Amino acid sequence: MKIIIARHGEAEPASDDGKDSSRELTQKGKEDAEKMATFLQTGFHIKKIFHSPFLRTMKTAEIYSRILKPELETESTLDLAPGENYGGILPRLKEYSNSDAILIVGHSPDVSIFAERLLGISGVGKSFLFTPGSALAINVPREKMHDGQIIWFVSPDFLCN
């Protein structure tokens, strides 16, 4: 199974209501998500997109969904909220086949910790620096959900418009 783990695009430092969950994407965050989605079109047919319920991840996932047109409806889940270990999403991922590509949009450092888990690295989320909008693609056997292999790790800052 191909699991693409993406950090949400760059977000405003604060929201109008003062809640972290309500922070909007910046213009750069929106443009970066579009660049990453266009990049993903070249190698993957996304079956499903899961994202955190926070506004910045929802907006990032909406951009991915508009461009990638996943086979199944994009879904918000509390399993990907900030501070979660993302372990709750694993049983849901096992419902898909090894040939499927799933996109997960989340937060730092949780995306790093989850990537380490899928790769079988014992770490504390410091193996991968997910800058806003960056993504890591991992090939991982759904039967184990660990000992995966890195396909690529890319930041939108390194992609052409």
Side-chain angles (χ1 to χ4, degrees), residues 41 45-47 49 63-72 74:
Q41 280 182 312
H45 173 72
I46 303 297
K47 179 94 170 190
I49 300 173
I63 292 167
Y64 275 117
S65 185
R66 176 175 46 83
I67 294 170
L68 296 172
K69 299 178 182 18
E71 193 174 315
L72 302 172
T74 298

Side-chain angles (χ1 to χ4, degrees), residues 1 3 89-98 102 114-120 140-148:
M1 153 180 299
I3 299 177
I89 197 81
L90 290 175
R92 297 172 75 189
L93 296 178
K94 288 182 178 185
E95 296 173 13
Y96 300 95
S97 76
N98 276 326
I102 307 298
F114 186 57
E116 290 172 345
R117 181 179 188 166
L118 293 177
L119 292 166
V140 62
R142 67 177 281 283
E143 300 80 14
K144 299 193 308 183
M145 285 298 175
H146 60 84
D147 295 331

Side-chain angles (χ1 to χ4, degrees), residues 5-142:
I5 304 167
R7 182 176 175 194
H8 60 78
E10 179 184 87
E12 297 289 345
S15 65
D16 290 340
D17 65 7
K19 295 179 183 175
D20 181 49
S21 61
S22 302
R23 289 172 45 214
E24 281 278 358
L25 290 178
T26 63
Q27 186 60 37
K28 180 181 182 340
K30 293 172 188 174
E31 291 168 3
D32 285 350
E34 288 179 1
K35 282 200 290 190
M36 289 300 296
T38 301
F39 172 76
L40 282 176
Q41 280 182 312
T42 62
F44 297 97
H45 173 72
I46 303 297
K47 179 94 170 190
K48 176 90 174 172
I49 300 173
F50 291 98
H51 63 85
S52 155
F54 280 37
L55 185 61
R56 59 191 177 272
T57 54
M58 180 184 73
K59 294 292 186 180
T60 301
E62 284 175 359
I63 292 167
Y64 275 117
S65 185
R66 176 175 46 83
I67 294 170
L68 296 172
K69 299 178 182 18
E71 193 174 315
L72 302 172
E73 188 175 335
T74 298
E75 184 177 336
S76 175
T77 176
L78 287 171
D79 293 327
L80 302 176
E84 295 297 321
N85 70 8
Y86 291 17
I89 197 81
L90 290 175
R92 297 172 75 189
L93 296 178
K94 288 182 178 185
E95 296 173 13
Y96 300 95
S97 76
N98 276 326
S99 61
D100 288 332
I102 307 298
L103 174 60
I104 292 174
V105 183
H107 305 269
S108 185
D110 308 312
V111 287
S112 297
I113 295 166
F114 186 57
E116 290 172 345
R117 181 179 188 166
L118 293 177
L119 292 166
I121 300 170
S122 54
V124 290
K126 298 188 182 202
S127 298
F128 300 98
L129 176 60
F130 277 83
T131 57
S134 61
L136 172 68
I138 300 173
N139 188 28
V140 62
R142 67 177 281 283

